[in-house]
Amino acid sequence: MCHNYYTRVLGLRVLTLLEWCWHGRRFRIVSGSNKQHLEVNLENGILFVNEKIDREEVCEFQPVCCLHLQVVMENPLELYRVEVEILDINDNAPSFPWHDYVLESAQDPDVGTNSLRTYKLSPNGFFSLEVQSRSDGSKFAELVLERPLDREQQKTHRVLLTAMDGGVPERSGTALIIVSVLDANDNVPTFDQTFYRVSLQENVPRGTLVIKLNATDLDEGTNGEIEYSFSGHAPQKVRDLFMVEPRSGNVRVKGILDYEKSNLYELYVQAKDRGPSAVAVHCRVLVNLLDVNDNAPEVILTSVSTPVMEDAPPGTVIAVISVMDRDSGDNGDVNCDIPKNVPFQLHSSYKNYYTLVTTEVLDRESVPEYNITISARDFGSPPLMTKKVINVQVTDINDNIPTFVQPSYTVYVIENNPPGASICSVTALDPDSNQNAYLSYSIVEGQIQGMPVSTYVSINSDSGNIYALRSFDYEQIRNFQIRVQAQDAGFPPLSSNVTINVFILDQNDNVPVIVSPLPKNGTVATEILPRYADPGYLVGKISAMDADSGQNSRLSYQILQATDSTLFSIALYTGELRTIRALGDKDATRHRLLIQVRDNGQPSLSTSVSIVLTVVDNIPETPSELNDLPLNSDHPSTSSSLTLYLIVSLGSVSFTFLVAIIVLTIIKCHKDRLSLQDYKCSSMPTCCCCMRAASSGDVFKNSNINLQISSGNKVQTNCMESSGSGPQNYCYKVCLTPESAKSDFMFLKPYNSTTTQNNEKIPEKTAPGKGGQNPPAVNNAINEVNHGLNWQSALLSPGSVDPSRLELLKEQYT
């Protein structure tokens, strides 16, 4: 918005300018390249004279002298144009170029009424004055001879010429005119014409011919030789710019002609012969300067509001620009533009003033600053152009959320880490600047296994480094999750979160633990081994576990020490202890094995167990007999006696068992067998073991029971069958470990054939005449077989039978 104010200089106080709007609005005066003649008091708004103004210096001979000021106020941006007219005062008196001269016009640099007004001649009887005016309004006087002179009467006439201006008070200047009466030279030179008009381009080089003047004199000799010169009416400025060649009459350029300073010059040239009493004649030459496009446009930044906020709305004024060209016409008409690829536009506001405004919302993160080139081109031929670059800084606002460099983090930490160790580092980026981009990190509150997450980890708020506050144990916690927040320091602050998945890696920090067989006295386990065991006989299985995982929990078994290294071997990964060969009579009756269990960690950890194997000819009933057996038997007779006792006992049991079988009829045996086969062993919770006794001689010949193991879904009926006068079946329930394919016995106990899995009685088919009761001999045989099978169960899995029960079996067989 522009306003015009016009004022006249009346004194020191010029104008009270906009006293209601200067405070706090960055009020200032823009005077371009001119001198700062005027200033404004920002306290009271008074426009005052800053330094002495000389109208004749500022405007020379122009009739109207004005100072043009540009007043700019911001918040909001307003532009005012102030024109101050400089009024002339009568501070210059008329003066003559020379004190003694024939006659010249006086000069007064003032204008208007203060300039030269008239001339006055002192009283005399011969001369009078004739005052004439030039085209610019200035006056000059001509001395007119009123009556003929008589040199013989008076050779010299002295007349006082007074020049007076029209100022108040009136000023005047005087010159003494001396008129010398010479001898007659009655012909004066004559110009072709009294007025000449010439057009000349500005900036022509010095010495350029302006015009060739020609005057003639009818006299001869020296009275007819003409000399040309500037008359006394020519101002000094004209004399500085032009010259007249005395002999030729050529008028040439002496100085630099500038159309922008003055476009018109009047040259007063006189011609005078060289004869005595020569009289000068005058002519006027009017020189019109033609404008040349010699001034490039000038771009002035009147006001610049930078930096600008990136959220400034479209249409925000960035700068006020004034464009000037000192040339005239098309040479002074200027077009101003800026590149098309910037979010700004130039709007013409007032004459040669433009405003630079935004056309869209700026984004500092995309472009933090703009260098806008303003091109000003005139319409001259050839055109001249000026470029000026405006740097516009874009101020940041907090409009970007911190962003982590990864959508989530996965961290692996080896257990047993020292507290305070750095486990990882997170990094977030914020494209904003300064405090809007300053980030601080924090742990989002949460719980891990019922404990605050702050008891597990901490974070450096500046760097994002995360530290463990405790030593992690893989066996207690395998993984956990934390959330980290990154928040900037803007207003209002912006934040974002990221998830960190922490996985604890296992270290081989747990020693394998023997779980079976359970050693007695801490380190020694006892097992029994029948002497008639075949090669590959499963003596037992060493079971161990390791709390670690992966390779750290992968266990291997090996025999470190053995009484006889050729007799036993152990599976590397299953821990099954088997015989390599059959036992001989010369082999010791007790063997000690030192078995080591080692994991596959780095470095590996191991544990060991000592197993004492007792070789027996017959399986004892109680484990107490095992403790009485020596490590090395030196008395073969003792072994033979024990073998004899076992054979006699088993023979008696076999005989009694055969008698009982003869009593039963073949039909009853057949029906009983069918009923037992129809009873599905698969209804039991575990797999079953079927044991069959073929004959009394075969069953107890070597005191070994033939076991048939089935681990499939369809299993045979758990039974023990004896042939003879009548077959008899017995069912036993045998429970295996989950790895039943390896035939690992965990415990063995008799199963009542007359009881189902739900403790329901199975109806027994009785023989005729027996009333459903077995004969005593049959019951005794069954008990003996049960005792033998219980001893076999104890042999296969010693830990599954109560030691007191083993003692009882031992006593019965003894």
Side-chain angles (χ1 to χ4, degrees):
M1 178 182 294
C2 296
H3 302 274
N4 287 339
Y5 287 89
Y6 181 82
T7 184
R8 288 171 162 243
V9 176
L10 302 178
L12 292 181
R13 171 166 175 168
V14 180
L15 175 67
T16 301
L17 181 65
L18 299 177
E19 298 186 3
W20 50 271
C21 63
W22 68 84
H23 182 67
R25 295 185 57 187
R26 297 180 63 183
F27 181 94
R28 65 184 184 276
I29 292 177
V30 180
S31 60
S33 59
N34 297 330
K35 296 177 64 175
Q36 194 74 22
H37 296 291
L38 303 176
E39 274 292 345
V40 173
N41 189 327
L42 298 182
E43 298 295 329
N44 51 29
I46 294 176
L47 181 66
F48 61 91
V49 176
N50 188 40
E51 61 181 19
K52 183 179 179 180
I53 302 175
D54 188 352
R55 181 192 178 284
E56 289 73 34
E57 178 184 352
V58 173
C59 298
E60 295 185 353
F61 298 104
Q62 297 181 11
V64 178
C65 182
C66 291
L67 290 180
H68 299 279
L69 305 177
Q70 307 297 332
V71 177
V72 177
M73 288 187 290
E74 299 183 1
N75 301 322
L77 181 66
E78 291 183 338
L79 185 64
Y80 297 89
R81 180 180 176 88
V82 178
E83 293 183 0
V84 179
E85 181 181 358
I86 308 301
L87 301 181
D88 184 49
I89 63 173
N90 192 19
D91 57 345
N92 292 281
S95 61
F96 289 94
W98 302 274
H99 293 286
D100 297 326
Y101 199 71
V102 175
L103 183 60
E104 291 290 346
S105 63
Q107 298 181 6
D108 192 336
D110 293 329
V111 296
T113 58
N114 295 327
S115 65
L116 182 65
R117 181 174 60 87
T118 185
Y119 292 89
K120 184 174 65 173
L121 193 64
S122 62
N124 63 88
F126 295 97
F127 305 100
S128 65
L129 286 179
E130 186 176 308
V131 180
Q132 297 185 12
S133 298
R134 298 188 183 92
S135 60
D136 60 356
S138 62
K139 300 180 184 303
F140 63 94
E142 291 184 350
L143 187 64
V144 179
L145 181 64
E146 291 293 335
R147 59 182 181 150
L149 300 175
D150 187 358
R151 178 179 176 278
E152 287 69 27
Q153 292 182 2
Q154 186 176 355
K155 294 182 178 180
T156 303
H157 297 269
R158 298 179 179 270
V159 181
L160 184 63
L161 179 64
T162 303
M164 295 173 291
D165 61 23
V168 177
E170 182 182 80
R171 290 178 178 269
S172 64
T174 61
L176 178 63
I177 301 175
I178 301 175
V179 180
S180 297
V181 181
L182 303 178
D183 201 6
N185 183 11
D186 53 352
N187 291 294
V188 296
T190 304
F191 283 99
D192 295 340
Q193 57 190 55
T194 60
F195 176 78
Y196 298 88
R197 182 182 293 273
V198 179
S199 295
L200 186 66
Q201 285 189 342
E202 65 171 329
N203 298 331
V204 293
R206 292 182 174 90
T208 300
L209 178 63
V210 178
I211 190 173
K212 180 177 178 59
L213 299 177
N214 184 36
T216 60
D217 193 331
L218 297 178
D219 295 329
E220 294 182 353
T222 58
N223 292 333
E225 294 179 1
I226 300 174
E227 291 184 350
Y228 301 89
S229 64
F230 282 116
S231 70
H233 307 306
Q236 184 61 39
K237 181 177 293 186
V238 172
R239 298 173 185 273
D240 294 337
L241 296 177
F242 300 93
M243 60 177 292
V244 179
E245 294 179 350
R247 302 296 293 175
S248 63
N250 294 333
V251 179
R252 296 185 181 275
V253 177
K254 180 181 179 182
I256 302 299
L257 301 180
D258 190 354
Y259 177 89
E260 286 69 40
K261 292 183 178 180
S262 177
N263 59 0
L264 181 64
Y265 295 94
E266 282 186 292
L267 283 63
Y268 291 90
V269 181
Q270 68 180 10
K272 185 173 62 172
D273 59 32
R274 301 182 62 186
S277 303
V279 177
V281 294
H282 301 81
C283 72
R284 185 174 63 169
V285 180
L286 190 64
V287 180
N288 290 309
L289 293 185
L290 302 179
D291 184 44
V292 176
N293 192 21
D294 59 342
N295 291 282
E298 183 179 1
V299 178
I300 301 173
L301 299 179
T302 303
S303 175
V304 179
S305 298
T306 184
V308 59
M309 299 294 290
E310 63 176 319
D311 61 343
T316 301
V317 177
I318 303 300
V320 176
I321 304 160
S322 61
V323 180
M324 294 184 299
D325 194 321
R326 298 176 58 195
D327 295 324
S328 61
D330 290 343
N331 296 332
D333 292 339
V334 180
N335 179 44
C336 199
D337 59 12
I338 62 174
K340 303 297 184 182
N341 59 346
V342 293
F344 301 93
Q345 280 185 350
L346 272 181
H347 292 166
S348 179
S349 59
Y350 173 75
K351 291 186 177 179
N352 291 330
Y353 285 86
Y354 296 85
T355 56
L356 180 67
V357 299
T358 60
T359 58
E360 59 187 56
V361 177
L362 306 179
D363 185 7
R364 190 205 66 84
E365 288 69 40
S366 299
V367 183
E369 66 176 354
Y370 294 88
N371 290 317
I372 306 171
T373 301
I374 300 175
S375 300
R377 183 192 303 268
D378 61 29
F379 292 92
S381 179
L384 299 179
M385 184 176 64
T386 299
K387 292 185 178 181
K388 194 174 188 66
V389 178
I390 299 178
N391 180 265
V392 178
Q393 300 284 339
V394 182
T395 302
D396 181 54
I397 64 171
N398 193 24
D399 58 346
N400 289 279
I401 298 176
T403 303
F404 286 91
V405 296
Q406 295 180 212
S408 64
Y409 291 82
T410 300
V411 180
Y412 297 93
V413 181
I414 299 178
E415 65 172 331
N416 302 322
N417 58 286
S422 175
I423 61 175
C424 72
S425 178
V426 297
T427 302
L429 303 176
D430 194 324
D432 293 325
S433 64
N434 299 328
Q435 67 176 13
N436 295 332
Y438 177 77
L439 301 181
S440 60
Y441 302 90
S442 61
I443 302 293
V444 178
E445 289 298 328
Q447 288 192 339
I448 301 175
Q449 292 186 344
M451 296 292 291
V453 68
S454 57
T455 62
Y456 280 78
V457 294
S458 66
I459 189 169
N460 186 308
S461 61
D462 294 326
S463 64
N465 292 332
I466 300 177
Y467 303 92
L469 296 181
R470 60 172 62 183
S471 180
F472 300 123
D473 188 355
Y474 176 83
E475 286 69 40
Q476 293 182 359
I477 182 170
R478 300 290 178 89
N479 61 79
F480 59 88
Q481 192 177 81
I482 60 175
R483 292 181 65 80
V484 174
Q485 181 185 78
Q487 179 173 292
D488 59 32
F491 183 81
L494 300 178
S495 63
S496 63
N497 297 341
V498 69
T499 300
I500 301 177
N501 299 296
V502 181
F503 292 91
I504 310 302
L505 300 180
D506 183 46
Q507 242 186 357
N508 193 24
D509 58 344
N510 290 280
V511 178
V513 177
I514 305 294
V515 297
S516 176
L518 294 175
K520 297 179 181 179
N521 302 326
T523 59
V524 180
T526 305
E527 298 285 350
I528 61 173
L529 175 67
R531 185 175 292 277
Y532 51 80
D534 296 328
Y537 177 81
L538 178 62
V539 178
K541 179 178 179 180
I542 311 301
S543 297
M545 62 179 295
D546 195 319
D548 295 323
S549 65
Q551 292 294 324
N552 295 331
S553 64
R554 185 179 180 185
L555 303 179
S556 59
Y557 304 83
Q558 62 176 337
I559 299 175
L560 294 182
Q561 296 179 2
T563 305
D564 188 346
S565 60
T566 65
L567 186 56
F568 302 100
S569 67
I570 190 168
L572 180 62
Y573 297 112
T574 62
E576 293 180 348
L577 183 63
R578 296 181 182 272
T579 58
I580 300 176
R581 58 177 175 81
L583 277 72
D585 294 338
K586 295 183 180 181
D587 290 323
T589 58
R590 296 190 74 178
H591 294 270
R592 182 182 294 273
L593 302 178
L594 180 61
I595 297 177
Q596 184 188 65
V597 183
R598 180 179 294 276
D599 60 30
N600 200 33
Q602 293 294 333
S604 62
L605 302 177
S606 63
T607 188
S608 60
V609 62
S610 293
I611 299 178
V612 175
L613 297 176
T614 302
V615 181
V616 297
D617 293 330
N618 297 307
I619 299 176
E621 290 186 359
T622 61
S624 61
E625 295 183 0
L626 300 177
N627 298 328
D628 297 336
L629 295 176
L631 182 62
N632 295 310
S633 177
D634 297 333
H635 303 283
S637 59
T638 304
S639 177
S640 300
S641 298
L642 180 59
T643 303
L644 179 63
Y645 293 151
L646 292 175
I647 292 175
V648 172
S649 299
L650 292 175
S652 301
V653 173
S654 300
F655 177 77
T656 304
F657 182 70
L658 290 175
V659 172
I661 292 176
I662 294 173
V663 175
L664 301 176
T665 63
I666 298 176
I667 298 175
K668 177 176 173 28
C669 180
H670 180 67
K671 292 181 179 180
D672 290 340
R673 180 183 302 171
L674 291 177
S675 63
L676 291 174
Q677 289 178 353
D678 292 339
Y679 178 74
K680 294 182 179 181
C681 189
S682 62
S683 63
M684 301 178 185
T686 58
C687 58
C688 302
C689 174
C690 183
M691 305 166 60
R692 172 174 295 179
S695 63
S696 61
D698 295 335
V699 172
F700 299 106
K701 180 177 181 181
N702 295 320
S703 299
N704 189 15
I705 298 175
N706 184 21
L707 300 180
Q708 297 180 0
I709 307 301
S710 176
S711 60
N713 292 331
K714 295 182 179 180
V715 298
Q716 300 178 2
T717 303
N718 300 335
C719 61
M720 177 177 179
E721 181 181 298
S722 63
S723 63
S725 59
Q728 184 67 41
N729 295 329
Y730 299 93
C731 289
Y732 286 84
K733 181 179 180 182
V734 181
C735 293
L736 306 180
T737 63
E739 299 178 355
S740 58
K742 298 179 181 179
S743 303
D744 298 336
F745 286 95
M746 295 302 294
F747 62 89
L748 178 65
K749 63 181 180 178
Y751 183 80
N752 190 353
S753 64
T754 61
T755 305
T756 66
Q757 193 174 12
N758 297 324
N759 296 327
E760 297 177 355
K761 292 291 185 176
I762 299 176
E764 296 181 357
K765 296 182 180 182
T766 61
K770 298 300 178 179
Q773 299 291 332
N774 291 328
V778 175
N779 291 332
N780 292 334
I782 292 174
N783 291 332
E784 291 297 328
V785 173
N786 284 336
H787 292 165
L789 290 176
N790 285 334
W791 174 251
Q792 181 67 17
S793 300
L795 177 64
L796 293 177
S797 182
S800 63
V801 182
D802 187 3
S804 61
R805 177 60 179 161
L806 293 177
E807 292 292 336
L808 179 60
L809 291 176
K810 180 179 179 182
E811 291 176 0
Q812 291 177 353
Y813 274 89
T814 303

